[in-house]
Amino acid sequence: MKDLRGVGADGERKRSGFGWMLLVLLGWSMMPAAGAVGHATERESSDVSTGTAERASEQPTLQEYERQLERNPESSDELVRMDPVTITATRTPKHVTQVPGAVTVVEQKQILQGRPATGVDETLRIVPGVQAERRFGPDDVRISIRGSGVRSTFGVRSIRVLIDGIPLTEVDGQTRLEPIDLDAVARVEVLRGPSSTLYGNASAGVINYVLEEGSQGNTYVEPRFVFGAYEFYKYRLKAAGASDKFSWMGNYSFLDSGGYRDHSTTRNQRFLGKFKYKFSDHSDLSLVVTYGQMDGDIPGNLFRSEFETNPRQQQQTPHPIPPALFPATTPYAAFQPARKDERFRPALTYRNQFTEHQEISVTGFFATRDLYHPLCCFPGSLITLTRIENAAFIKYANTVSLFDHDNRLIIGYDWQDQNSVNKNYANVLGSPGALQEYSQARINQDGVYAQNEFKLTDTVELIGGVRYSQVRFKVEDHLQLGGVNGSGRRNFAQTTGLAGIRYSPVKWANFYFSFGQSFETPTGTEFRNPTTATGVGLNPNITPQKSSNYEVGVKGAVGDKLFYDIALYRQHFTDELLQFNTGFTGPCSIFAPCFRNAGKSDHDGFEIGLAYRPVPPVTVQMAYTYADYRFRDYVVNGVQLAGRRLPGVPEHRLIIDLTYEQLTGVLAGAFGGVEWQYQTDYFLSDTNLETSSPLNGQKNPSYTVTSLKSGYKTMLDRHWGIEVFGRLENIFDANYAFATVNPGNAPAFGPFVGRNVFGGLSVRYVF
């Protein structure tokens, strides 16, 4: 059994003090406040009109906006809400149908019903335009929105990931997902398309994980146990409640999995807490605490023939370790590739509605990270990292009418600063050897933005916004191995804009057109320098990618039976960031690739999201994505690749979820369903040909996967509730995989899990 504790650069394990702190916090949060004892109650959602504007004399105040849009995530007994839901990732609360862009909201019931809640890919599967692929464990998910992000070799790129509106994404644009625990999430908001005007360094979109809040009259404690095949189990303890002025939610979980593949054991523990104190109806202070600690083996990739014949094996290919410390016959597993990552972040937000139509909010946080990461097979492949991050955000909102028309103005300023110490060692069969890189990286960004929403008529709303952002990189090379000084600076600044119009002629149809710009800098690891022998320093030849997005769409709710969201878009990229390598040796090896800019490319796409309830017990959800992403001007080694497809992106992707839930009678609360997903094949390389064929082949094959779910949830009396569920994933045992983009002659395929079974039990006690 592995020890899940912090690991220092010297390889010695150190005991973390956070575990005790988390238990104390959780135990404190479980204590019911005086006067809060009672049975569970449900808060009714306010009905906010969709598509009609109030008269200027009835201009809603900020407090009324908040009161109208407030919802309890536990309040809906329906699997999918057909009425419009509210999102906050737009910087201020706004109904889905009123946003002039592609937006999807996944509610808590859908997140947890019949699901083990192990990784974010479970939730994102049903979102059109989103491709979420689990690689080497539940926390290692590659997420792509409209083709951006597939270049990622680890972590998430191109997408701003938020927890309660506070960026989890680090300053350089990279996101690790360890702190996210779906058990604590009330809903997931996905904004597809450029969001630089709102959030700066991002080109693909925004994913906001909104945490559950404690509510009065519903103080509870709830343990949940999930177990499954391949030595999997997860324990969770959640408690929530509220008094007149104070609300709390605390969620602690521990996961242990033996893994589907050899050398793929994973352990993690997480804590998410949200604590809010109301000074008055107009002001409050919130504390959001996130903590994640993961310890996972990395099984590596396989060649196509290996993946097809034995997908459960770990990487087999032996490689020499420059400068030939070990013979070429040394197996991959001998270097014990793994990742041990610990993160902690408390964030405070103060909100004050100081006049009837004006509100200001201020957020600040600090974050720490400690990484120990043995890899194979390049110089300095045992990576250690210590990082501190600080951030502050201020936002002002004003709803005073303009020319006797409803108007909402948002102005804000964001600042983030990140300071990292990187020490990379020779990997001596899983232990640190000679120090081969010692550098300090300082990255900071700031930006000022303004966005305005103006209701021209009862049926027409105009939206416009602008943002100015700066991102600064500074690296100090303290080792200067071989006399090479990798110190350097790169600074980037960009102004981006947003314009949109929404036309709502009838309540059930909201048409929109939007235009948005974005820019995205390389991350710290993507600055790897091909001009130095070891890749040290900042690549002087790489620049941020930029895009312009044109989108038309329509969405709405038809009665209580159908909700639909249709979008057609073209996103035009210049200098798109793409990965490349030069083989087994050199500064851009297959193990530590470099990045370069493509000239121009177009991402053309069509997305449909549907939720349909033909009869009350039955809900059908469907997400379809068509993606035609091609280079327009991209020359590699003298070859023009214009007209060829971007690798890593399937042309068609279809997900269907059919759920039946018994609403009345003795079996009320019983549910069952089937989930079906289909994805076409995609190219592995920019050239759309694979030079190492037949080792990898030309494409990642298409696949079809079917899963079943069932369960039962009920309140036994006013205090006790119970839920049991079972899930059978990949019932036909399909052999399918994610694939690395531009792998050269290296293994490219990471097999997904075959047939897999889960079972779960949760018990809720309401005080």
Side-chain angles (χ1 to χ4, degrees):
M1 299 293 284
K2 287 193 168 187
D3 183 13
L4 187 61
R5 290 176 289 194
V7 181
D10 58 358
E12 293 294 327
R13 298 182 182 271
K14 57 184 181 181
R15 183 173 300 276
S16 170
F18 285 125
W20 292 107
M21 182 194 67
L22 297 180
L23 290 175
V24 171
L25 273 173
L26 187 60
W28 171 63
S29 69
M30 289 169 55
M31 296 174 61
V37 177
H39 62 84
T41 61
E42 297 175 344
R43 186 186 311 162
E44 295 182 356
S45 301
S46 299
D47 181 22
V48 180
S49 62
T50 59
T52 59
E54 297 86 350
R55 296 188 304 275
S57 61
E58 298 172 347
Q59 172 77 9
T61 66
L62 280 167
Q63 184 179 357
E64 288 169 342
Y65 266 122
E66 182 181 89
R67 197 163 51 234
Q68 289 173 339
L69 299 177
E70 187 181 36
R71 288 188 300 106
N72 183 348
E74 296 281 340
S75 66
S76 177
D77 285 332
E78 303 171 354
L79 177 63
V80 179
R81 295 176 57 86
M82 294 300 174
D83 57 310
V85 295
T86 304
I87 65 168
T88 57
T90 50
R91 292 282 193 179
T92 58
K94 197 172 183 69
H95 278 296
V96 169
T97 55
Q98 309 297 289
V99 178
V103 180
T104 300
V105 178
V106 184
E107 298 281 5
Q108 186 181 63
K109 190 170 188 178
Q110 188 182 0
I111 293 170
L112 297 179
Q113 188 177 58
R115 300 179 187 274
T118 58
V120 300
D121 54 310
E122 297 176 26
T123 298
L124 298 176
R125 291 172 191 163
I126 199 62
V127 181
V130 178
Q131 181 181 353
E133 299 177 311
R134 188 177 300 191
R135 293 178 290 195
F136 303 133
D139 295 314
D140 189 11
V141 178
R142 178 172 64 183
I143 304 174
S144 169
I145 297 181
R146 296 182 173 178
S148 295
V150 294
R151 74 179 192 270
S152 170
T153 54
F154 63 91
V156 176
R157 307 288 196 276
S158 306
I159 300 164
R160 300 293 283 184
V161 180
L162 318 173
I163 295 180
D164 253 31
I166 305 168
L168 183 64
T169 300
E170 295 173 332
V171 183
D172 62 354
Q174 175 185 315
T175 309
R176 297 296 316 198
L177 303 171
E178 288 83 4
I180 298 174
D181 191 341
L182 295 177
D183 280 305
V185 173
R187 66 183 184 274
V188 183
E189 305 169 347
V190 183
L191 280 66
R192 311 187 304 275
S195 301
S196 285
T197 300
L198 291 174
Y199 291 103
N201 190 9
S203 64
V206 174
I207 303 175
N208 184 27
Y209 290 89
V210 181
L211 299 183
E212 179 182 340
E213 288 191 26
S215 58
Q216 277 190 273
N218 189 27
T219 300
Y220 71 87
V221 59
E222 182 181 71
R224 190 179 198 237
F225 309 93
V226 182
F227 52 91
Y230 313 113
E231 302 175 8
F232 173 90
Y233 60 87
K234 178 183 179 182
Y235 304 146
R236 178 259 275 174
L237 180 63
K238 179 166 65 173
S243 62
D244 290 340
K245 291 186 175 294
F246 182 65
S247 65
W248 67 90
M249 185 281 298
N251 186 92
Y252 172 81
S253 68
F254 177 81
L255 179 150
D256 193 344
S257 174
Y260 173 68
R261 300 178 59 194
D262 296 337
H263 194 71
S264 62
T265 298
T266 298
R267 276 187 168 186
N268 65 42
Q269 59 177 325
R270 288 177 285 213
F271 177 82
L272 285 173
K274 184 172 184 177
F275 310 91
K276 178 184 286 188
Y277 182 80
K278 295 180 64 174
F279 299 102
S280 69
D281 290 340
H282 306 287
S283 66
D284 52 63
L285 181 68
S286 298
L287 170 65
V288 174
V289 179
T290 59
Y291 173 73
Q293 187 184 57
M294 79 87 61
D295 184 347
D297 295 330
I298 299 176
N301 289 336
L302 303 175
F303 286 120
R304 181 160 179 171
S305 60
E306 296 171 330
F307 148 61
E308 291 176 339
T309 57
N310 183 11
R312 298 191 62 180
Q313 63 185 320
Q314 65 187 97
Q315 185 167 320
Q316 298 297 305
T317 310
H319 297 294
I321 305 298
L325 296 176
F326 302 95
T329 55
T330 305
Y332 168 90
F335 300 98
Q336 302 180 35
R339 184 165 63 89
K340 303 171 180 66
D341 207 343
E342 185 174 28
R343 297 163 181 266
F344 173 67
R345 187 185 77 177
L348 278 173
T349 298
Y350 173 71
R351 181 193 65 90
N352 189 347
Q353 182 190 335
F354 56 94
T355 73
E356 186 179 17
H357 296 285
Q358 298 181 88
E359 180 178 284
I360 191 168
S361 64
V362 181
T363 299
F365 73 77
F366 80 91
T368 63
R369 182 185 181 191
D370 186 11
L371 173 70
Y372 182 80
H373 197 9
L375 286 169
C376 174
C377 304
F378 58 95
S381 59
L382 196 152
I383 300 169
T384 69
L385 171 72
T386 301
R387 175 172 292 166
I388 295 177
E389 182 180 356
N390 297 281
F393 314 94
I394 185 169
K395 182 184 67 178
Y396 166 78
N398 187 312
T399 60
V400 174
S401 61
L402 183 64
F403 307 119
D404 293 329
H405 290 266
D406 290 356
N407 191 77
R408 179 158 55 176
L409 172 66
I410 309 163
I411 300 174
Y413 174 76
D414 300 339
W415 172 82
Q416 285 181 267
D417 181 82
Q418 176 178 296
N419 197 346
S420 307
V421 175
N422 307 273
K423 292 184 179 181
N424 296 1
Y425 302 81
N427 186 340
V428 182
L429 303 181
S431 299
L435 181 64
Q436 297 183 337
E437 181 179 343
Y438 175 24
S439 63
Q440 184 171 1
R442 185 78 177 266
I443 309 172
N444 61 64
Q445 72 165 356
D446 62 354
V448 59
Y449 64 90
Q451 181 167 300
N452 197 75
E453 305 164 5
F454 178 72
K455 283 192 174 180
L456 185 64
T457 70
D458 286 351
T459 59
V460 177
E461 184 179 39
L462 306 177
I463 296 180
V466 64
R467 180 185 178 105
Y468 176 74
S469 297
Q470 299 181 88
V471 186
R472 295 166 287 268
F473 294 81
K474 179 183 177 182
V475 173
E476 295 184 25
D477 185 357
H478 296 298
L479 189 60
Q480 300 184 22
L481 189 66
V484 177
N485 187 351
S487 302
R489 295 172 180 259
R490 296 292 305 274
N491 297 331
F492 305 102
Q494 187 72 30
T495 300
T496 54
L498 168 71
I501 181 171
R502 175 180 58 82
Y503 173 55
S504 305
V506 292
K507 186 175 182 179
W508 51 267
N510 300 270
F511 298 89
Y512 68 86
F513 168 79
S514 67
F515 168 77
Q517 297 174 311
S518 74
F519 89 108
E520 181 181 355
T521 67
T523 66
T525 54
E526 291 169 354
F527 263 117
R528 188 172 179 83
N529 192 355
T531 66
T532 61
T534 60
V536 69
L538 297 172
N539 185 349
N541 301 317
I542 196 170
T543 62
Q545 69 179 28
K546 305 176 182 67
S547 76
S548 299
N549 185 72
Y550 305 85
E551 182 173 332
V552 294
V554 60
K555 52 189 168 181
V558 182
D560 60 355
K561 290 185 177 296
L562 174 67
F563 179 83
Y564 67 95
D565 179 5
I566 302 173
L568 177 67
Y569 64 89
R570 162 167 284 191
Q571 191 167 2
H572 174 65
F573 283 88
T574 57
D575 298 323
E576 185 162 11
L577 291 163
L578 296 172
Q579 173 189 321
F580 75 96
N581 69 75
T582 56
F584 287 101
T585 59
C588 303
S589 72
I590 60 176
F591 311 106
C594 296
F595 286 79
R596 60 191 173 201
N597 297 106
K600 297 178 181 179
S601 61
D602 284 334
H603 294 198
D604 296 333
F606 178 64
E607 299 164 353
I608 301 177
L610 298 175
Y612 177 57
R613 185 182 294 114
V615 293
V618 177
T619 302
V620 182
Q621 287 185 274
M622 186 268 283
Y624 169 72
T625 304
Y626 169 74
D628 185 13
Y629 304 157
R630 297 178 184 270
F631 297 116
R632 287 185 59 197
D633 180 16
Y634 182 30
V635 178
V636 177
N637 299 326
V639 178
Q640 174 60 258
L641 301 182
R644 305 194 189 188
R645 290 186 176 274
L646 268 72
V649 181
E651 184 176 6
H652 301 279
R653 189 168 182 272
L654 176 63
I655 312 294
I656 297 176
D657 183 317
L658 171 64
T659 300
Y660 176 89
E661 182 174 12
Q662 183 65 32
L663 302 178
T664 60
V666 178
L667 294 179
F671 65 88
V674 58
E675 299 172 12
W676 182 85
Q677 55 179 316
Y678 168 73
Q679 180 173 295
T680 56
D681 55 14
Y682 58 77
F683 289 105
L684 302 185
S685 68
D686 294 343
T687 61
N688 293 179
L689 298 170
E690 187 51 65
T691 57
S692 59
S693 181
L695 290 177
N696 284 325
Q698 187 178 1
K699 291 183 175 182
N700 185 20
S702 62
Y703 63 80
T704 300
V705 175
T706 305
S707 301
L708 300 176
K709 59 183 177 181
S710 64
Y712 177 67
K713 181 178 181 179
T714 189
M715 288 296 295
L716 301 175
D717 57 30
R718 64 190 299 251
H719 292 296
W720 291 98
I722 188 171
E723 179 180 14
V724 293
F725 78 89
R727 183 178 183 87
L728 182 59
E729 292 192 337
N730 193 4
I731 61 175
F732 300 114
D733 202 23
N735 188 14
Y736 63 122
F738 75 87
T740 301
V741 173
N742 292 323
N745 54 354
F749 294 92
F752 295 131
V753 180
R755 186 181 293 114
N756 194 13
V757 63
F758 291 100
L761 167 69
S762 66
V763 178
R764 174 174 293 202
Y765 180 77
V766 181
F767 292 91

